[in-house]
Amino acid sequence: MRAEVDSARQLVNHYTAKIIALDPVGSTVKQAPPFVFPAKFSLKRNTPFAFDYLRDYLGESTAEPLLMDASVKAALEYIDKQTPKEGDGINPVPPCAIASVARSGKTTLLQSIFNRLLQDGKFNPIFVNFNGKRGLEQGFHRQHDESDYDAFLRWVAVSLLEETDTAGTCQEQDLEEYLSRSELPIVLLVDELNALTANDISEELARLLRQRFLDQPNRYLCFTSHWFLDLSPLGHSESPRDTNFVELPNVQNEKGGIDVLTEKTGTSRVQVAECLGTVGLLVSSYHERNFKPDRYFAQRTASKTFPLSSFLDEFCKGVPRHDEMRHFDRFTSILENGKIAWPILFAKEFLYSAGEYTLYNLMNHTTTAIERSSYNEDSGDEWEYTVRVAIAMVARNAEFRGLNQTQATILGVPDENIDSRPKLYVRELPGDIKTPQQAQEHLDSYIEKTNEYPTLVLAYPRAQLEIFDTITCFKYSESTDTIFTGQQMKQGEGYPAKDAPSPFNGLLIRGDADYNPRRRPTKRKGWQYISGKEMHDFLPCSLHPLIPSEWLKQKKKKKKKKIKIESCVERTV
């Protein structure tokens, strides 16, 4: 990695030296000559992108990105619909955006869109890559004192002409005249626009994008970004609702997606949970030899501070309201409602860098313990992992800010103590503890030794524990009783096998729970069943994509449809 950085710097210095010449006084800068466009428009890049790197883990002679069809189809529908339109200040034409976490497959999706546009022959697609480490051999780098407007024009010209010398200049009018010679509508595909703008688009570049590639008929703009750019200068707000937003492939949104990925790559269901189900991030993290998530995170956050309170707030609430967290946006995804989500894969690395080793170790232990049985069956282990992480993150966040009522219920904190800011302790139960009663005795002794109040303890088993998957204990003061709460997780339908033993309050947290159930449990005593609404209120925003209710419903519909078809066939026979 260090060699790559040094090499890139040498290239920048080389080309900068070619365009900068000082007079004897050292004050005059000579500008590089402009690029010369041909008299007739043509696509220099007129062959599809090849995905050779996929062969390493798919083991196939020709490889295509997995589960990409739905995302490509959505983008093509936007392109077909929006490209002919003419926009104005009141009704601007919305761009097509692909915004997601780093290494999630944004470039692969954009390249797949390019391939389809090239194949269909109805548009002239232009691919412009602002990722400095891929694309053209030199890679994009801003030149000294170069504005985003000038840099954009220069790099579009380099990409159009496939120039090997990237030090030229490009005038907007020259580019416009060249594009106007195209016999087909132009679709500009920009990879990692955030690398050029840093989420701060100048008015001049915003005007260029709006006038030349959005509001002009037979032109369109589709871009990728690590985070959703503020598009207000283009006449749009920063909400995805005002933009044609294309989701990246996600195994939980694709029928049979998990099975396909497991069959092709051996990906486990806990790994799916760690990556929010994002196919590209799963492939990068677990099947690319040269990509290590911990190293990737560390290299891009060197010398940064790690504000734990702000991180926990955004992880739980999904609202990007802390300026000191914006450097980390590349490690987040944007949900459909405009909120941000941290994949657990990168959230773990933030916690480690922030010195929060207890939660980091909890996540690692839980991953290892649950993953053993989660590869090829609907065991529900990934849901247990998700909720266990949720309990830990919400409990740690409670040290900095108050709990909502549902969070207090699941953690076992009385309503009158929701603003008490309890100190969190995470405790792995010894391997010889098998029953809730044994766990109670152990935790009573542990809390007494901490001698710090109010205290909240999250305990999880090293081995299998009867009845409960996790236990939380809350003690407000030395004179108050300890409140024991046991949580049991079930991915789909099902009930506890036993009554909740005293003094535990049992909570059943089902991934497929009714949103507003009409009745409470009748089969078991000592239990409270958490509704779907309560589960949404409790789970941190970053974990909402892992609520299995929606994709379980899809699976049920598919199963019912299959049964219905088989029934019709039998009647026909």
Side-chain angles (χ1 to χ4, degrees):
M1 179 60 68
R2 180 66 60 189
E4 292 177 5
V5 172
D6 292 340
S7 176
R9 287 174 178 166
Q10 290 172 5
L11 284 168
V12 172
N13 294 336
H14 171 71
Y15 287 109
T16 301
K18 292 179 65 175
I19 67 171
I20 297 178
L22 299 177
D23 67 6
V25 181
S27 59
T28 304
V29 178
K30 296 180 180 180
Q31 193 175 37
F35 291 113
V36 178
F37 292 98
K40 183 178 180 180
F41 180 89
S42 64
L43 285 179
K44 296 292 183 181
R45 172 89 204 194
N46 55 12
T47 56
F49 287 97
F51 304 103
D52 295 337
Y53 64 92
L54 297 176
R55 297 173 187 168
D56 291 341
Y57 61 86
L58 292 181
E60 299 174 359
S61 56
T62 57
E64 292 294 327
L66 296 173
L67 305 173
M68 192 70 75
D69 290 346
S71 298
V72 173
K73 181 180 178 183
L76 293 178
E77 288 175 353
Y78 289 139
I79 292 170
D80 285 335
K81 179 181 178 181
Q82 302 294 349
T83 302
K85 292 183 178 180
E86 181 176 5
D88 54 41
I90 300 176
N91 298 300
V93 176
C96 176
I98 305 165
S100 185
V101 64
R103 306 292 300 193
S104 57
K106 298 184 297 296
T107 299
T108 300
L109 174 54
L110 201 66
Q111 290 174 339
S112 298
I113 296 169
F114 175 91
N115 290 354
R116 281 293 304 276
L117 291 173
L118 203 62
Q119 174 186 327
D120 293 346
K122 298 188 298 182
F123 301 91
N124 275 329
I126 301 171
F127 194 93
V128 181
N129 187 359
F130 286 101
N131 186 328
K133 296 178 182 177
R134 285 177 291 181
L136 295 173
E137 182 180 351
Q138 294 85 358
F140 170 76
H141 294 280
R142 285 277 283 271
Q143 295 178 350
H144 180 66
D145 289 338
E146 186 178 39
S147 68
D148 61 355
Y149 169 82
D150 290 328
F152 181 85
L153 286 170
R154 176 174 64 86
W155 207 247
V156 170
V158 168
S159 303
L160 265 172
L161 303 174
E162 292 200 335
E163 289 281 353
T164 56
D165 187 344
T166 64
T169 62
C170 177
Q171 299 300 313
E172 181 178 342
Q173 190 57 40
D174 293 341
L175 175 63
E176 172 59 28
E177 289 180 2
Y178 184 62
L179 295 178
S180 66
R181 299 169 195 158
S182 172
E183 296 179 356
L184 297 175
I186 296 287
V187 178
L188 185 67
L189 304 170
V190 181
D191 192 26
E192 297 204 16
L193 185 58
N194 59 281
L196 172 67
T197 64
N199 203 31
D200 187 19
I201 299 178
S202 69
E203 292 185 5
E204 195 172 21
L205 176 58
R207 178 199 56 77
L208 167 66
L209 294 173
R210 184 176 63 249
Q211 290 184 358
R212 303 302 185 188
F213 296 102
L214 286 174
D215 291 346
Q216 187 173 160
N218 294 322
R219 302 275 179 86
Y220 196 53
L221 170 66
C222 183
F223 69 89
T224 72
S225 172
H226 280 322
W227 53 86
F228 198 86
L229 293 171
D230 180 2
L231 296 178
S232 53
L234 286 100
H236 302 271
S237 75
E238 57 182 308
S239 170
R241 296 173 184 173
D242 297 324
T243 297
N244 295 320
F245 188 78
V246 176
E247 290 188 11
L248 285 158
N250 191 296
V251 295
Q252 296 185 351
N253 295 334
E254 297 281 346
K255 293 182 179 180
I258 293 180
D259 297 330
V260 170
L261 205 66
T262 299
E263 178 184 349
K264 290 282 188 179
T265 68
T267 299
S268 77
R269 294 172 185 271
V270 172
Q271 291 171 346
V272 169
E274 283 200 305
C275 296
L276 297 181
T278 305
V279 175
L281 187 57
L282 280 162
V283 169
S284 295
S285 302
Y286 300 109
H287 304 291
E288 283 191 24
R289 297 189 184 96
N290 297 327
F291 178 69
K292 302 296 181 184
D294 53 350
R295 186 186 308 164
Y296 180 85
F297 185 88
Q299 288 173 340
R300 283 153 182 80
T301 58
S303 74
K304 299 295 179 181
T305 58
F306 299 87
L308 181 62
S309 175
S310 299
F311 165 76
L312 290 169
D313 185 42
E314 294 195 0
F315 184 91
C316 292
K317 299 295 184 182
V319 180
R321 54 190 172 195
H322 301 283
D323 291 341
E324 63 269 26
M325 289 297 298
R326 300 289 60 84
H327 174 79
F328 301 98
D329 280 338
R330 70 171 64 227
F331 304 106
T332 66
S333 289
I334 300 294
L335 305 179
E336 286 188 75
N337 58 10
K339 293 188 174 182
I340 63 173
W342 274 81
I344 298 172
L345 185 78
F346 290 134
K348 287 195 305 184
E349 299 307 322
F350 187 99
L351 290 171
Y352 184 86
S353 299
E356 188 61 35
Y357 304 124
T358 303
L359 290 184
Y360 176 84
N361 290 333
L362 167 67
M363 289 183 177
N364 268 347
H365 172 274
T366 307
T367 303
T368 303
I370 296 176
E371 195 170 19
R372 293 171 187 153
S373 61
S374 67
Y375 273 84
N376 298 314
E377 57 182 342
D378 292 327
S379 62
D381 290 330
E382 67 272 26
W383 178 237
E384 179 185 334
Y385 169 54
T386 299
V387 177
R388 191 179 290 185
V389 169
I391 292 172
M393 297 297 277
V394 171
R396 185 69 173 94
N397 191 42
E399 291 189 36
F400 299 100
R401 47 193 62 86
L403 298 163
N404 65 39
Q405 189 169 4
T406 301
Q407 290 171 340
T409 297
I410 293 178
L411 295 180
V413 177
D415 290 346
E416 61 268 23
N417 301 134
I418 59 175
D419 291 318
S420 60
R421 307 289 197 275
K423 173 67 176 177
L424 173 67
Y425 292 92
V426 178
R427 181 71 174 168
E428 182 186 23
L429 296 172
D432 59 349
I433 291 181
K434 306 293 185 183
T435 68
Q437 291 80 4
Q438 292 172 330
Q440 179 192 351
E441 294 178 9
H442 174 82
L443 292 170
D444 269 332
S445 175
Y446 178 78
I447 292 173
E448 186 177 349
K449 293 177 182 177
T450 63
N451 196 30
E452 185 173 356
Y453 306 101
T455 292
L456 179 64
V457 178
L458 166 61
Y460 61 95
R462 178 180 301 176
Q464 192 72 26
L465 183 69
E466 290 182 8
I467 303 178
F468 302 126
D469 296 314
T470 55
I471 292 174
T472 54
C473 320
F474 176 77
K475 190 173 178 65
Y476 182 71
S477 67
E478 187 175 5
S479 60
T480 59
D481 293 333
T482 301
I483 299 173
F484 288 89
T485 305
Q487 297 87 11
Q488 184 180 122
M489 295 64 133
K490 288 188 179 296
Q491 180 169 277
E493 297 176 352
Y495 301 93
K498 298 180 180 180
D499 295 341
S502 179
F504 286 88
N505 300 314
L507 295 176
L508 177 65
I509 306 175
R510 286 183 6 195
D512 198 21
D514 291 336
Y515 199 73
N516 288 301
R518 296 180 180 178
R519 64 179 184 177
R520 289 299 179 180
T522 57
K523 292 189 175 183
R524 297 285 176 247
K525 296 179 181 180
W527 287 93
Q528 177 181 345
Y529 294 175
I530 299 302
S531 69
K533 182 181 184 305
E534 290 170 327
M535 182 177 60
H536 275 81
D537 290 342
F538 171 75
L539 232 63
C541 183
S542 287
L543 301 181
H544 278 193
L546 299 177
I547 297 175
S549 55
E550 289 304 315
W551 48 275
L552 283 174
K553 288 176 184 176
Q554 289 182 358
K555 187 178 293 186
K556 289 177 182 177
K557 289 179 181 178
K558 184 178 179 182
K559 185 175 180 180
K560 289 180 179 178
K561 183 177 181 181
K562 181 179 179 181
I563 293 174
K564 185 176 180 180
I565 292 173
E566 290 176 348
S567 177
C568 291
V569 171
E570 289 175 0
R571 287 199 299 270
T572 302
V573 174

